[in-house]
Amino acid sequence: MDDARRLARALSDPSRRTFFGLTGAALALAFTTNLADPWTSRSKGGDGYPFQLGVASGDPLPDSVILWTRLAVRPLEPLGGMPYGRIKVDWEIAEDRAFTRRAKHGSAWATPEYGHSVHVDVRGLRPGREYFYRFRTGGEISPVGRTKTAPAAGSSPEHLLMAFASCASWQDGFYTAYRHLADENADVVFHLGDYIYEYGIVPTGGNRNTPVPDQFRVQCDTLDRYRVQYGLYKSDPDLQAAHHSAPWIVTWDDHEVLDNWAGPNGAGGEVSPEDFLVIRANAFRAYWENLPMRLSQPASGPDVRIHRRFTFGDLAEFNVLDTRQYRDDQVCGDGQQYDCAERLDPARTMLGAEQEKWLLDGLGASRARWNVLAQQIAMCQLDYDPAPAQRLSMDLWDGYKAAKDRVINGMVERKVSNPVVLTGDIHYNLAGELKTDFDNPSSPTVGVEFVGTSISSGGNGNATTGLPAGGTDPVNPHIRFSSYQRGYVSCDITKARWQADFKVVPYIDKIGAPVSTRGSLVALDGVPGLHAL
Ligand SMILES: [Fe+2]
């Protein structure tokens, strides 16, 4: 059968998998054919359905959100099995899930240069409002996503429901925690990095026991290889449910690129800086293609600015940081070290001079009740040795002591209202108090840090971290809560208090685990420190 006849038959038969078996030119024609206007779908998924990676929204402003999708008929193939041509995608956003009160609509092009991703910057929305959105191409309709705009500038919201997550190694287990996060119906979700892991995947799919094709054996390096890794991750229904539930604000950590990379340096000097910057550029491009981010332009090349700020009226302001791209290399051979004097070097930077100034200037100018650093790595000192000697991680803020002190003391000098640090990276649940001197328990408490555990990285986990912490333990007395179970953190934020509920699941090597609250800690307005419920 020739392409024209195949296409005609596909378009006329609602039970047929429209795009299966068509060549590139016919496939492109199928997607660009503008069918009758009503938003009615003729197929419900499977091979040939172009919205197998779901939809997402993100970076909410008072009048805007970014709407995202990426077309893929076969997500595990390069370019998602799509033709090398541009494809028109219609979108609409409404005030109700049935789309009877449509607010805005339009169309955009999905192009192969950007992996057939679509980023729509919808403007003219109303502040602090719930919306629903979807896409359409070639007569196929996407799933519906829920989103929400930020409150109006200068407004005084009473309440913000925020959840945050990190570290979702696909082969380590199922995304049950994402499924429960979806049920939170949050105003906004923060993802603090390790959205993917760059590692190759074994044929059996690790703890998932799900076959994974040959192209996944090697570690990510080329743009195509990163793209199929996202295709695999984003095919997961629980991850999609979490995206469909709320707008996300994302930042990367190390594994979106390479384990423990630092500025122009790949981990362990395994690749030259020149080669690493090529990998970094590929990783950045694939990350942007797959997430609902508001960038000034499409990610291109090895330098992409993602630190940015979000304000929720006078209630909370979030400074989203990048602690990887501008940092000096880890000292003393990385890992956990004793007596590493180089970690104290005042010339070393974590954020880079520009981002550090941007952060402190923004904190100084903020009028928000809660001032948040949404970032990757632990800021509270973490001594891994239960004996008196200190063993600290060179990859965390402890390995950049002077840079950490500049941020903490900078917040004190600027009298920043209620600092809150949100952290991922180490797969621990921790709640700690930020001190001006972590070695002196009686030094002033400046604010609090909530470290969220992993969604899946590390496998099933267990109740304790092995980190000496909490209670009467003289090591890490500023850490007030810890656990090593998979999950996420749900935060209920009002003017008077910030409550962090550490939500955990008992296992992830099977689907369907229930969720429970392992611990709840509260910070009170104007009283730096933590209170257990
Ligand atoms: Fe991680």
Side-chain angles (χ1 to χ4, degrees), residues 18-19 41-43 48-51 135-142:
T18 309
F19 307 106
S41 179
R42 298 180 311 105
S43 79
Y49 182 60
F51 296 107
F135 297 88
R136 172 179 69 172
T137 191
E140 301 279 7
I141 312 293
S142 76

Side-chain angles (χ1 to χ4, degrees), residues 330-343 382-385 389-395 398-399:
Q330 292 89 342
V331 288
C332 297
D334 204 355
Q336 296 173 4
Q337 303 292 345
Y338 295 95
D339 300 321
C340 173
E342 289 169 79
R343 77 181 186 91
L382 298 180
D383 177 2
Y384 287 85
D385 189 337
Q390 279 185 346
R391 191 173 79 230
L392 306 176
S393 171
M394 298 301 105
D395 187 51
D398 283 338

Side-chain angles (χ1 to χ4, degrees), residues 157-322:
E158 293 293 324
H159 184 256
L160 179 68
L161 182 59
M162 181 274 285
F164 69 95
S166 62
C167 296
S169 173
W170 187 91
Q171 61 267 42
D172 281 12
F174 292 98
Y175 288 163
T176 313
Y178 275 145
R179 174 66 61 175
H180 292 298
L181 187 156
D183 294 336
E184 297 273 332
N185 228 29
D187 295 320
V188 62
V189 171
F190 282 82
H191 198 287
L192 304 178
D194 292 357
Y195 184 93
I196 64 158
Y197 282 67
E198 80 283 15
Y199 301 133
I201 300 173
V202 298
T204 54
N207 289 347
R208 289 198 180 214
N209 210 15
T210 302
V212 176
D214 286 347
Q215 62 266 35
F216 289 88
R217 283 323 152 251
V218 296
Q219 183 161 306
C220 295
D221 47 13
T222 65
L223 179 54
D224 267 354
R225 179 66 189 87
Y226 279 108
R227 279 174 170 165
V228 296
Q229 197 84 335
Y230 282 98
L232 176 69
Y233 274 63
K234 295 189 76 83
S235 296
D236 184 279
D238 296 334
L239 173 57
Q240 290 185 17
H243 276 298
H244 295 173
S245 74
W248 284 35
I249 297 172
V250 303
T251 184
W252 54 50
D253 193 13
D254 55 334
H255 287 288
E256 285 85 354
V257 182
L258 192 67
D259 183 32
N260 280 20
W261 67 283
N265 305 293
E270 289 158 11
V271 293
S272 70
E274 293 77 16
D275 287 343
F276 176 65
L277 288 180
V278 174
I279 293 172
R280 196 171 101 172
N282 294 336
F284 286 179
R285 170 70 74 91
Y287 183 78
W288 171 79
E289 285 177 355
N290 283 281
L291 286 159
M293 300 175 79
R294 183 190 304 280
L295 298 185
S296 57
Q297 56 193 23
S300 181
D303 304 305
V304 177
R305 178 190 159 134
I306 65 164
H307 56 279
R308 58 208 193 281
R309 185 171 287 126
F310 296 91
T311 306
F312 288 72
D314 66 2
L315 183 59
E317 186 161 277
F318 295 82
N319 300 275
V320 180
L321 305 185
D322 178 348

